[in-house]
Amino acid sequence: MNVPEFVEKIRKNEINIVEHTEKIIEECRKINKEYNYFNTISDGLALKQAHEIKKLIKNKDKSIQNKRLLGVAVSAKDSICVKGVESTAGSRILKGYRPLFNATVIEKVISEGGIIIGKTSQDEFGFGSFSVFSWFGTPKNPFDKERSCGGSSGGPAGIAKKANFPHISLGESTGGSIAAPASFCDVFGLTPTYGRNSRYGLIDYGNSLDKVGAIGKSCYDAALLQEAIAGHDPNDSTSLNAPADDYTEIMEKPVKGMKIGIIKEAFGKGNDKSVEKYVNEGIDRLKEEGAEFEEISLDLPIKYGLATYYMIATSEASTNLAKYCGMRYGAVEKLEGSFNEYFTKVRSANLGDEAKRRIIMGTFARMSGFRDAYYIKAMKVRTLIINEYKKAFRKFDALVSPSVPILPPKFSEIEKLTPLQNYMMDIMLVSPNIAGLPHLSVPVGYEKNLPVGMLLTGDHLQEGKLLQLGSVFER
Amino acid sequence: MKKFTSDIVIGLEIHTELNTNTKLFCGCPTKGSEEPNTRTCVTCLGMPGSKPVLNKKAVEFALKLCMALNCEISPELVFSRKSYFYPDMAKNYQISQYEIPLGKKGKLRLGSGKEIGITRVHMEEDPASLVHPAGMKESAYVLVDYNRSGNPLVEIVTEPDLASPDEARDFMKQLIIVLSYIEIFDVNEGIIKADANISVKESGYTRVEIKNITGFKEIELALMHEVNRQQNEIKNNKQIHQETRAWDSEKGVTFSIRKKETEEDYGYIIDTDLVIIDITEKWLNEIKKHMPELAQDKVRKFVEKYRIKRDDAEIIASDRQLAEMFEKVAEKVDPNLAAKWLRRELVRVLNYNKKEISESGINERHMIDLLGLIEKKKITDAVGQQIIEKLIEKPFDVNEYVKKEKLEAVSDFSELEKYCKEAIAENPKAVEDYKKGEAKALNFIVGSVMKKTKGKATPKEVNDIILRLIK
């Protein structure tokens, strides 16, 4: 049963929402034992919501006709605050932290009738490409438990695939953290334009880069959740003052005549051959539907994207993580010594290696004496990268590349990667993220039962066009 | 680097609170409950996921200050994160401004006319306050009160143009007058703090910073002490080190808190939780419309147009309400008479009652009526003083009051002469003493007449009559 059919049945009172919710909570527990997709299953909140919906249906409340997610299970990446539900962003330093407020996207999901079933696993604060840098267990690939879900939204993508009930995931991307796991888990992952969805209540990684987005089993699911959470939020100064589009309608439009640029530098060297093969098949599918393709060179974003990204993201992250010091919330240690000694003790014991690495890197990049050469230079290159994309979108409706250059790797392989090799996984993904451009990872095929994703990148606020193209691959 | 010539070189960094209703980046009130941690929210507590939203009113207040200090105003408002770990910091970074301050290259004139350069004016948020329950040094623990966290502040940095502690005090005084004129600072309750950089010629201008001096009178004391200390050290063949010191106002001394090897590194980055805001001409013009004429312009006008003494003009202009009242009164009565009465009598009575003009109910109408009567000698100075004292309690129509209470000056000569004759008859000893050459004895007789007339006679006139009568 797909999401719209399910919502219709709930409205008609053909499914008992409370029993259904109890059943899926049980199912999540079962999946979680094997796959580690949840840091917290919010059964209390989910059942409370289910009872409220049941009451609305019993009272034939008019509002149920407008609630687009009525009764649909929605999971949220752990970095998205849910009031009263432990929200750690995958870090031990936030162990036990229960936010006093809901993120705006959570408020919107709840007001649309969506049921919050839990907080999904991720790399600590979003620092990673394989979800292996987590304090609370690594999520395992739904196709092969020896392999990674990708990261950092590994839990959100894994459960989006594995859930055998109507469900959509809220993920978050800073430098590719939606598209990469979507590609590895065979689901649709939509990273919106920066500022399209509110960041209020999102535990920060890089403030100028973070975006909440939808991950769905179908293109429709991703479009539906995006439709529900988009729009201006006065609590987030960077939220765009643009009305939400009707994505589920727009995606139905034909793709005939759309112009798509094939990013030259994203093909050939460095890619797994099978990845390229299926992405080319995807391109052929779109050609059959009447989309027109042409090659385009995006030298600058591919060459400098990664360096620019790591300078800006870690600079911002190193300031964002400063607040975690064992004073107001989260982990504490024995109180002794000066405040400096105490903060150091708390942070040493409760932040992971990758978090420490990025704090050190980011602090270095913004220190006086280095700041101009790294942080300021990166900010300038960022503008150049945006300009190069903007030039391309004068001609094209979308750009295409593989989402990730490889198939989901085994954990044993990941262990051997150096930090730099780790960062290289996001080579295709960091530049659209730096430029705040919307991008959609679309499942295009399987190599030896392992999924391959194709990346479609659009101009600012053109999520609709990406979903139009994505719907060609609808299941 | 500037080449210093004066014996003492001082630069100030002044932090002042803006008296907005709400905090700089959230809707929490800046005033109200004093119960610790009650005026807080997720944003000013720095909770994960919270985001700042800018208070535009605070920006307008800061822009007014930039205008009043003749600053070049940045076309864009950009906030940065100033990173350092400290228990009073909700996020362990402070939202402040760095590369692009709101205002730069301004100036403020001292009372002496000397111009002091303003390097920059920028906005930032206040940290929380630390409470040491058993005193700074003795407390085993520290409590944090976030009520203040996120309050709007401006920092004003001067050029090292101040050449004495006295000039530093005057700078602070002039600045406070400006702040109160443009109504962005609560003179009675607002906090103004300064860090001072000070060096003396004898040391080759080695810079010492004194942190956190509260109030403008303390500034002069702290700097005087520090100048003496530095000069004595040199006399005793000791060296002045580049360092940061603190001011202990109770003991009246500065003490070293840290030696400065290098500048602190705050690792500034742009705060991308906030968007860059255009400061448009339109916005600035809107603010300009509401800018009052400032104290120093008023002084000039009072001296040139109304021809009053500079000293009177400065005192009257230092209080915006008084200055505005003066302008209205001086249009109707002799400006010098108005200056004298506003500066002396009105201020005296207001201070005695601890009231501002706006709280007293006295307006320009009262002063025009009152001074009109004095100018035409309809009432005496003594009666005028009494009326002001009464007006403070409860305002009334001055002309009617004078009529009703029969307070007109005794101008009937024969009546006055009658009182004088009585007084001479009643005080034969005083008359005798005066004739013996004791000039003071005359005052006694005059006083007696004044008493009989209930102050309604002019002492000078009475004096003349008595002299004539006892000759």
Side-chain angles (χ1 to χ4, degrees), chain A residues 199 201 204 237 319-320 322 371, chain B residues 49 51-52 81 92 99 268 273:
Chain A
R199 288 187 301 116
D204 302 301
S237 312
T319 64
N320 286 323
R371 195 171 173 270
Chain B
K51 304 279 182 281
R81 293 178 173 184
N92 283 324
E99 281 109 330
Y268 285 96
D273 268 346

Side-chain angles (χ1 to χ4, degrees), chain B residues 171-185:
Chain B
F171 180 87
M172 292 292 279
K173 189 181 135 199
Q174 299 300 334
L175 179 65
I176 290 173
I177 292 171
V178 167
L179 293 169
S180 73
Y181 255 73
I182 56 179
E183 297 175 316
I184 65 169
F185 176 69

Side-chain angles (χ1 to χ4, degrees), chain B residues 145-237:
Chain B
D145 178 4
Y146 290 89
N147 280 348
R148 205 179 70 190
S149 173
N151 276 0
L153 296 179
V154 280
E155 180 176 320
I156 301 145
V157 182
T158 76
E159 292 289 310
D161 290 346
L162 297 156
S164 69
D166 179 54
E167 283 192 355
R169 182 190 45 78
D170 191 41
F171 180 87
M172 292 292 279
K173 189 181 135 199
Q174 299 300 334
L175 179 65
I176 290 173
I177 292 171
V178 167
L179 293 169
S180 73
Y181 255 73
I182 56 179
E183 297 175 316
I184 65 169
F185 176 69
D186 187 332
V187 180
N188 299 315
E189 309 220 324
I191 296 169
I192 186 157
K193 280 187 201 162
D195 301 339
N197 284 307
I198 174 162
S199 60
V200 296
K201 190 181 193 173
E202 292 89 329
S203 73
Y205 301 110
T206 300
R207 210 172 73 167
V208 173
E209 187 179 13
I210 310 173
K211 282 268 186 209
N212 252 327
I213 316 167
T214 306
F216 71 101
K217 285 174 194 121
E218 292 283 305
I219 291 235
E220 187 178 22
L221 294 175
L223 290 173
M224 283 193 322
H225 166 83
E226 183 59 21
V227 168
N228 281 335
R229 188 193 69 85
Q230 291 188 16
Q231 287 170 342
N232 281 335
E233 293 282 274
I234 304 276
K235 263 184 221 148
N236 297 331
N237 291 321

Side-chain angles (χ1 to χ4, degrees), chain A residues 81 97 100-101 194 199-202 204 207-208 234-235 237-238 315-316 319-320 322-325 327-329 339 343 347 366-368 371 375-376, chain B residues 42-43 45-54 81 83 85-87 89-93 98-99 144 146 265-270 272-275:
Chain A
C81 288
Y97 174 62
L100 297 166
F101 65 109
Y194 176 80
R199 288 187 301 116
Y200 183 71
L202 172 69
D204 302 301
N207 317 66
S208 71
N235 287 327
S237 312
T238 61
S315 290
E316 293 184 358
T319 64
N320 286 323
K323 63 169 82 73
Y324 309 118
C325 59
M327 231 182 97
R328 288 163 293 267
Y329 39 74
F339 78 84
F343 289 178
R347 291 164 66 79
R366 61 189 168 84
M367 267 169 62
S368 69
R371 195 171 173 270
Y375 173 69
I376 298 289
Chain B
V42 292
T43 298
L45 287 172
M47 290 289 187
S50 67
K51 304 279 182 281
V53 176
L54 180 64
R81 293 178 173 184
S83 290
F85 285 85
Y86 207 74
M89 301 274 284
K91 307 177 288 289
N92 283 324
Y93 64 78
Y98 184 54
E99 281 109 330
V144 185
Y146 290 89
D265 192 343
Y266 295 114
Y268 285 96
I269 60 168
I270 305 288
T272 48
D273 268 346
L274 291 155
V275 288

Side-chain angles (χ1 to χ4, degrees), chain A residues 208-209 300-316 365 373-386 430-431 433-435:
Chain A
S208 71
L209 294 154
L300 198 70
I302 303 291
K303 211 163 162 186
Y304 296 112
L306 217 54
T308 305
Y309 170 77
Y310 276 96
M311 288 297 104
I312 295 172
T314 59
S315 290
E316 293 184 358
Y374 296 110
Y375 173 69
I376 298 289
K377 178 73 73 62
M379 295 289 272
K380 287 177 182 165
V381 177
R382 180 183 206 170
T383 306
L384 297 178
I385 290 175
I386 295 171
V430 288
S431 287
N433 278 280
I434 289 169

